[in-house]
Amino acid sequence: MKLLNKTIVLTGGTSGIGRQLVEQLVGDNQLIVLGRDAQKLSTLKKKWPSIITFQVDLADVNQVHLIAQSIASAKPEIDLLINNAATQFMPKFTDEAFTFDTVKTEVDTNFTSVCALIHGLLPALLASESSRVININSALGLVPKASSAVYCATKGALNIFSQSLRYQLEGSVVGVQQAFLPLVDTAMTKGRGKNKISSDVAAAEIIAGIEKGEDDFDIGATRFLRVLNALAPFAARKLLKAS
């Protein structure tokens, strides 16, 4: 798929990797950007008036269903859905700072909203000559770390869901892809980890993977982690546990 003159729906397009995806795709495509922050969406719209924006809290599944209906009504054919948005809470269950309410927020934002958007936009994706769903995943969907247990679980669930959905849509015009990211330098990862890749590099590699048509593709250090996990899973788990 060459990303040229495509209708693209993107979640989390106001910052980080999502903002870089907007920067790199907007000149050649019709973008529909979903975000939670109305001010950031307004800023995006002022810079690129051709962008269609929708304010939505992905942790509120009812909102997601309604937005999907609105998008499908406005754009009966969609070529690409990029499920990029995610949230991560760092406290462990054993930490005083941990609050149980964050579990639902993470699960709904990182996983349930993805299912809801795909379900709501599937008729429009099927109406395209050739379309794709790409779920932006993480190395933590392959091997978890000690902190952010719920985040790791949502990414593991996203991995299995993506594979199963691919089976369900086999033979249709809709392909299902995943990009597995290493630690990327964004607001969410501020103050954490070393050797991060920049969000513009991550976005460029995501676009390249989409255009190549790879089902599941790894970016940066995730390539090493996948090989290590296949050859020596104990070593991979030990490495991520200490991260």
Side-chain angles (χ1 to χ4, degrees):
M1 173 184 280
K2 184 68 176 174
L3 295 182
L4 180 66
N5 299 322
K6 303 297 184 184
T7 299
I8 301 172
V9 178
L10 167 67
T11 66
T14 59
S15 63
I17 299 166
R19 177 58 184 257
Q20 288 299 321
L21 286 167
V22 170
E23 294 262 3
Q24 296 177 36
L25 291 170
V26 68
D28 299 320
N29 303 279
Q30 170 68 76
L31 293 188
I32 302 168
V33 177
L34 279 60
R36 184 175 57 184
D37 190 313
Q39 184 59 50
K40 289 182 178 180
L41 287 170
S42 178
T43 299
L44 209 64
K45 183 75 174 174
K46 286 178 182 177
K47 184 169 184 178
W48 295 292
S50 66
I51 293 177
I52 299 170
T53 62
F54 287 93
Q55 183 183 9
V56 59
D57 181 357
L58 294 177
D60 185 335
V61 179
N62 290 326
Q63 283 189 38
V64 178
H65 283 303
L66 291 173
I67 289 296
Q69 291 174 10
S70 298
I71 294 172
S73 295
K75 294 291 179 180
E77 292 187 20
I78 293 171
D79 302 303
L80 177 62
L81 168 60
I82 306 176
N83 288 306
N84 164 71
T87 191
Q88 181 178 169
F89 296 96
M90 294 297 292
K92 301 174 184 178
F93 273 49
T94 53
D95 293 341
E96 285 189 18
F98 176 80
T99 57
F100 190 78
D101 289 346
T102 61
V103 173
K104 188 175 189 303
T105 299
E106 276 186 295
V107 171
D108 286 344
T109 302
N110 300 353
F111 183 69
T112 312
S113 71
V114 172
C115 299
L117 268 181
I118 293 171
H119 177 259
L121 298 180
L122 190 56
L125 289 160
L126 288 166
S128 171
E129 284 188 14
S130 177
S131 61
R132 300 275 176 80
V133 172
I134 179 160
N135 296 325
I136 306 304
N137 211 316
S138 164
L140 299 176
L142 303 174
V143 183
K145 63 178 181 177
S147 61
S148 307
V150 176
Y151 178 86
C152 295
T154 62
K155 290 303 184 179
L158 185 63
N159 181 22
I160 295 301
F161 168 73
S162 299
Q163 294 177 55
S164 183
L165 183 66
R166 188 178 298 144
Y167 299 154
Q168 293 181 21
L169 295 174
E170 195 170 26
S172 77
V173 298
V174 185
V176 179
Q177 296 178 277
Q178 288 189 95
F180 289 85
L181 298 178
L183 195 62
V184 180
D185 190 11
T186 65
M188 189 173 76
T189 66
K190 186 176 181 179
R192 293 195 280 119
K194 299 177 181 178
N195 302 317
K196 302 175 187 176
I197 68 169
S198 65
S199 55
D200 60 324
V201 168
E205 293 213 29
I206 289 168
I207 291 169
I210 293 169
E211 294 194 326
K212 290 176 184 176
E214 301 173 81
D215 283 347
D216 297 320
F217 56 94
D218 301 327
I219 293 173
T222 310
R223 300 183 183 100
F224 165 76
L225 180 65
R226 189 183 291 271
V227 172
L228 182 64
N229 192 41
L231 298 176
F234 173 79
R237 290 194 296 269
K238 184 177 180 180
L239 177 67
L240 265 291
K241 181 181 178 181
S243 68

